[in-house]
Amino acid sequence: TAISASTYNITVTGAAGWANASTDATGFDAGTGTVLFTGTAAQTISGATSTTFNNLTINNTSATGVTASQPITVLGTGVLTLTDGYLYTDAANLITMNAGSSVSGVSNASFVYGPMAKVGSTDFTFPIGKDVQYRPLAISSLSGSETFTATYFHSDPNLVPYDVTSKDASLNHVGRCEYWTLTEAGTQDAWVTLSWDSYSCGVDDIAAVSVGRWDGAVWRDHGTGTTTGAVSPA
């Protein structure tokens, strides 16, 4: 039997989490309602079929949070609200924000812990992070509708390896504490905004900060449009 959120809220409190057992896409109708994960133990979003939500709220007070074991989608009319706990994703089970969808909340206590995708042509800030640190990446001024996928890594990029010694001469050095990946399905352009904090191996001269992009062989200097904030911690 198909289940619809309609205009109502569905609250998921149990440790079993959410399992969409339908064998077709009509097993759950997102409607205009909200599905809230408010468990006190680790929860999962799983099942035989991936789920599309209208509004999705993560408010899990456990140390683990909510893990996507199937790809999940937020409708263009919907909002992903990150109140407490992390939403764990991976390349096979990521969350996709459809065109028009938005994000609310977000803090060091609640973000997407893994890759996430955004469809559309509007500005968007990816609510991503790792290890109790919210580390956003934003895209703006898109040249057209596109699907961008972003992930944050709290690790040394030289170990990937993105050889930090292979760089444009204009780059003094490449940060060794963190990096982001941003990929696109097509060829549209966008401005990219990155962030820093004490997590970033220290930023002591904002005027000297540049965006470095790995092109497959060399870290390229993409310069800096504008900077806001202060030196670490910012």
Side-chain angles (χ1 to χ4, degrees):
T1 301
I3 299 174
S4 174
S6 186
T7 59
Y8 301 101
N9 296 337
I10 296 175
T11 301
V12 183
T13 60
W18 176 279
N20 187 344
S22 172
T23 57
D24 59 60
T26 61
F28 173 71
D29 175 8
T32 57
T34 300
V35 176
L36 306 93
F37 287 82
T38 61
T40 58
Q43 295 177 302
T44 59
I45 301 175
S46 61
T49 302
S50 61
T51 302
T52 296
F53 298 97
N54 181 52
N55 298 321
L56 173 62
T57 297
I58 305 298
N59 190 17
N60 180 296
T61 59
S62 74
T64 305
V66 179
T67 298
S69 296
Q70 272 278 10
I72 57 179
T73 302
V74 174
L75 290 173
T77 54
V79 180
L80 170 65
T81 300
L82 296 159
T83 303
D84 193 7
Y86 306 119
L87 176 59
Y88 289 87
T89 64
D90 58 40
N93 304 293
L94 81 167
I95 180 170
T96 298
M97 306 290 294
N98 277 352
S101 62
S102 60
V103 174
S104 177
V106 190
S107 68
N108 286 343
S110 190
F111 50 73
V112 176
Y113 200 110
M116 70 179 300
K118 177 62 171 69
V119 181
S121 58
T122 56
D123 298 355
F124 185 74
T125 298
F126 290 88
I128 51 180
K130 287 272 170 59
D131 303 330
V132 201
Q133 294 289 327
Y134 168 46
R135 307 298 290 115
L137 176 152
I139 52 174
S140 59
S141 301
L142 278 68
S143 60
S145 184
E146 182 62 274
T147 299
F148 279 98
T149 302
T151 314
Y152 170 73
F153 296 87
H154 178 220
S155 55
D156 184 350
N158 197 49
L159 301 179
V160 173
Y162 301 137
D163 183 2
V164 297
T165 66
S166 179
K167 60 181 180 60
D168 284 344
S170 55
L171 290 174
N172 178 274
H173 66 281
V174 176
R176 300 286 298 272
C177 290
E178 62 183 356
Y179 64 97
W180 294 258
T181 59
L182 180 67
T183 59
E184 58 183 339
T187 59
Q188 300 298 326
D189 295 328
W191 285 91
V192 177
T193 302
L194 303 179
S195 57
W196 71 84
D197 210 321
S198 52
Y199 232 38
S200 310
C201 293
V203 172
D204 56 13
D205 184 357
I206 295 175
V209 173
S210 288
V211 173
R213 181 183 66 85
W214 180 254
D215 70 355
V218 177
W219 285 96
R220 298 300 183 186
D221 185 357
H222 280 255
T224 302
T226 58
T227 53
T228 60
V231 296
S232 295

